[in-house]
Amino acid sequence: MTHRFSSAAAGILTLLLLSCSPSQDRAPLNVILLIGDGMGVAQLTAGKTVKGTISMERFPVAGLVTTHAAGSYITDSAASGTALATGHKTDNGVIGMAPDHMVLKNVTEYAEESGCATGLVATSAITHVTPACFAAHVPERHMYAEVAEDLCESGVDVLFGGGYGYFLPSSHPQSLRTDDRNLMKSLAGTHRLIYTPAGLDSLADCERVAGLFYQGHPPAVHERNTTLSALTEAALSVLSRSRRGFFLMVEGSQIDWSGHDNDSQGIIDEFIDFDDAVGTAADWALARGNTLVIVVADHETGGYTLLNGSIEERTVTEVSFSTSYHTGSMVPLFALGPGASRFSGILDNTDIGSRLIELFRGR
Ligand code: MG
Ligand code: ZN
């Protein structure tokens, strides 16, 4: 009788403990990392002013992230992208390597090793700095031809962005390479190639796809032939066929470029395109419950300051910029889904890389 009672009590206690432990503490099957390049708190505020409600408001966990590089108070996207991808600080300009050029293993490589699917999506050339940090190892950020080679050898299953010129041999009129390597041919051997966003609609049964829709960088948001949200949705539909889970990195690349141009409207427009993709990722994750979504930036760009505007009219009317480069301010972070609580509070960009790797190492 006593025994029966105590086992019943233990059962109730277990139930209570289970219901008290937040679902955020379980390990996620899938991880989606969305990076707003150059997205500081002012960029976020301006975007919210104009959009009204932003997708990032749906995230229950928030934090702030320090961004300095190994040898510099102000980071560039290479050093910060390397920190987010590998958990290690490096010098500005260096991709996926330590300051002494020792190769640093990135989260994509850990995921691939564990049999997970992987994807990189960007609104820049896919060989540009931020996506490169998740698949390549080069000592100098402008080595786009070498990044393209690393991308082909990386095993990354989904590649959406621009930059097909870096995959074509120099004999081709649209080539951006100086050698005769035909990486498009190599990619065609491993991936389905799509040439326009129309191809995004016919990816049923497809497990590996590359869609590089521009020779170099895609144009600014209103001239692009598709949205970051549509690319994210297509990437998710392909990657979710992996039973072992996936890692997907999505970059809103051009928030940063508008910051460099001190173009407030451009920042807002690019932010909204990025935030729409955040909403798509959040919808997808919330519908399944097994996916961690993290939104972060690599650094702030422009020293963007909001001086006047109207919540009612949803306008930002007066701004200033303190630089045409990056600043050292902390950047916002949002997390949602299992494991999200590991990303709260004040973190360094290397903490994010380390914690992402922990989720994929030795699965
Ligand atoms: Mg970038
Ligand atoms: Zn920049």
Side-chain angles (χ1 to χ4, degrees), residues 37 77 124 128-131 251 253 257 298:
D37 197 318
S77 293
S124 63
H128 199 242
V129 180
T130 309
E251 186 202 20
S253 318
W257 304 355
D298 52 354

Side-chain angles (χ1 to χ4, degrees), residues 282-303:
D283 285 342
W284 198 92
L286 287 168
R288 287 161 180 82
N290 60 3
T291 301
L292 170 65
V293 185
I294 297 169
V295 182
V296 73
D298 52 354
H299 52 72
E300 196 274 344
T301 304

